Amino acid sequence: MSDRAPLGMDDGRTGGVGVRTAEAPPSPIAPVPEVPERQRRRVWNRRRGHGRPNVLAGVLATVWLALVAVPLYFLVAASFRTRSEYLSDNPLAPPPNPTLENYATVLTGDFPTYLLNTVVVTVATVAIVVGLTLPAGYAVARNAGRVVQRGFSLMLVGLAIPAQAAIIPVYLMITQLHLYDTLLAVILPTAAFAMPVALLVMTNSLRDIPRELYEAQTLDGAGPFQALRHLVLPLAKPAITTVAVFTSLTAWNGFLFPLVLTQSVETRVLTLGLWDYQGQFGTDVPALLAAVTLSVVPIFVLYLVGRRYLLSGLTAGAGK
């Protein structure tokens, strides 16, 4: 007989009721499939970067690098030449006698005024666009009402309207507001035409914020403005950076609005100031390229700072 007590009987060893339990049979252990030696070597080489090289990608990357690097090299190298060397030497050869005369000519002229005007236009345009699209994008992302969504759709119609088609109405509005030949005449239209793209980017980025975070803010007693300040603003930094960089590029390189809506030297920006180096009978090309080099540096630095946010901001909400 077995020494195990019947079910519900005291076995005298544990001081309690002996409970008879069924022993679970041992589970069979599945054998681990063996990985072929060739496959293991392939995975190991791929992890070490020894996989098959992508020749086509390398060729295309080299071609793209040449297309970008050669014009930049020509731009910088020619700015250190004299006018006679520019006309006689090989344009791709290093300058035989580098000189800073062209940069001195540019900096002693009206270039600092043009640079300051461009900085004012760019900063003011970015401030207006970011200050308006952030709360507007928050309203569109959080409000599914018909009025808000219709307004958002109407705002996106601006993507299909080029600035050239609206330049005459804009000119009439600016003159009626007595803003002609002022920096504000350039700032307002530039910000208006940059608003649709900025609003689209901002709205798609704010839609990526989980709804649970908004609900947690509501449970904590936060209103819409508190949620905008404490939740949306910290999480929307990539979108804000994307909008700021994109708007800065648009405002810095703007040509049509400064050309039509300004006239005097005091309100001239860099894109119009480059005309100073083109005369009736010739063009001082090295000085012109020196001015272009100086005008490219600030916006290029801004792009390098915010470029890692551009892709994430432009593709936000793409999967929804």
Side-chain angles (χ1 to χ4, degrees):
M1 295 181 62
S2 173
D3 60 349
R4 187 172 297 175
L7 181 64
M9 298 295 292
D10 190 358
D11 59 0
R13 289 177 296 180
T14 60
V17 178
V19 180
R20 196 169 163 184
T21 59
E23 296 182 358
S27 59
I29 301 176
V32 179
E34 295 184 1
V35 181
E37 182 67 21
R38 182 179 301 177
Q39 185 175 356
R40 283 189 296 177
R41 289 182 180 178
R42 187 181 306 168
V43 174
W44 175 252
N45 292 334
R46 187 176 301 173
R47 289 179 179 178
R48 296 182 58 186
H50 293 163
R52 181 179 299 177
N54 194 338
V55 179
L56 180 59
V59 172
L60 294 178
T62 304
V63 172
W64 177 253
L65 179 63
L67 292 176
V68 174
V70 171
L72 290 178
Y73 168 77
F74 171 77
L75 174 67
V76 177
S79 64
F80 289 100
R81 302 176 186 270
T82 62
R83 299 184 67 176
S84 58
E85 291 176 351
Y86 174 79
L87 296 175
S88 59
D89 295 345
N90 184 1
L92 296 180
N97 299 310
T99 178
L100 296 176
E101 181 181 356
N102 300 315
Y103 290 92
T105 302
V106 170
L107 295 176
T108 54
D110 294 325
F111 183 85
T113 302
Y114 305 153
L115 179 62
L116 179 61
N117 292 339
T118 306
V119 171
V120 171
V121 170
T122 302
V123 173
T125 303
V126 171
I128 293 174
V129 172
V130 174
L132 293 179
T133 55
L134 180 60
Y138 171 67
V140 174
R142 292 293 298 156
N143 194 336
R146 181 179 301 179
V147 177
V148 176
Q149 298 302 322
R150 289 278 181 87
F152 177 62
S153 301
L154 183 62
M155 189 72 180
L156 295 183
V157 176
L159 295 172
I161 302 177
Q164 293 82 358
I167 188 61
I168 295 179
V170 169
Y171 173 79
L172 294 177
M173 293 174 60
I174 291 298
T175 54
Q176 291 177 359
L177 293 174
H178 304 286
L179 296 177
Y180 181 77
D181 201 20
T182 62
L183 293 180
L184 196 59
V186 180
I187 294 171
L188 294 180
T190 304
F193 279 88
M195 201 80 68
V197 176
L199 181 59
L200 181 63
V201 172
M202 192 72 70
T203 302
N204 290 335
S205 297
L206 297 184
R207 282 175 176 169
D208 287 342
I209 299 177
R211 184 175 299 177
E212 291 78 7
L213 296 180
Y214 291 110
E215 295 175 354
Q217 288 284 320
T218 304
L219 293 177
D220 290 340
F225 293 101
Q226 286 79 11
L228 176 63
R229 178 182 177 183
H230 299 289
L231 175 64
V232 175
L233 188 59
L235 296 179
K237 288 182 179 179
I240 294 175
T241 305
T242 301
V243 171
V245 173
F246 178 80
T247 307
S248 299
L249 293 173
T250 303
W252 192 274
N253 298 321
F255 179 77
L256 181 62
F257 292 133
L259 176 65
V260 177
L261 303 177
T262 60
Q263 185 177 5
S264 62
V265 178
E266 290 76 13
T267 58
R268 192 171 295 174
V269 295
L270 285 175
T271 51
L272 295 181
L274 298 178
W275 282 1
D276 291 349
Y277 308 99
Q278 181 176 357
Q280 182 178 2
F281 302 102
T283 302
D284 190 357
V285 178
L288 175 62
L289 297 181
V292 172
T293 303
L294 292 176
S295 63
V296 166
V297 170
I299 199 65
F300 184 70
V301 172
L302 178 63
Y303 172 77
L304 291 180
V305 172
R307 65 185 175 87
R308 66 190 184 98
Y309 294 108
L310 285 176
L311 184 59
S312 60
L314 291 175
T315 58
K320 293 189 176 182

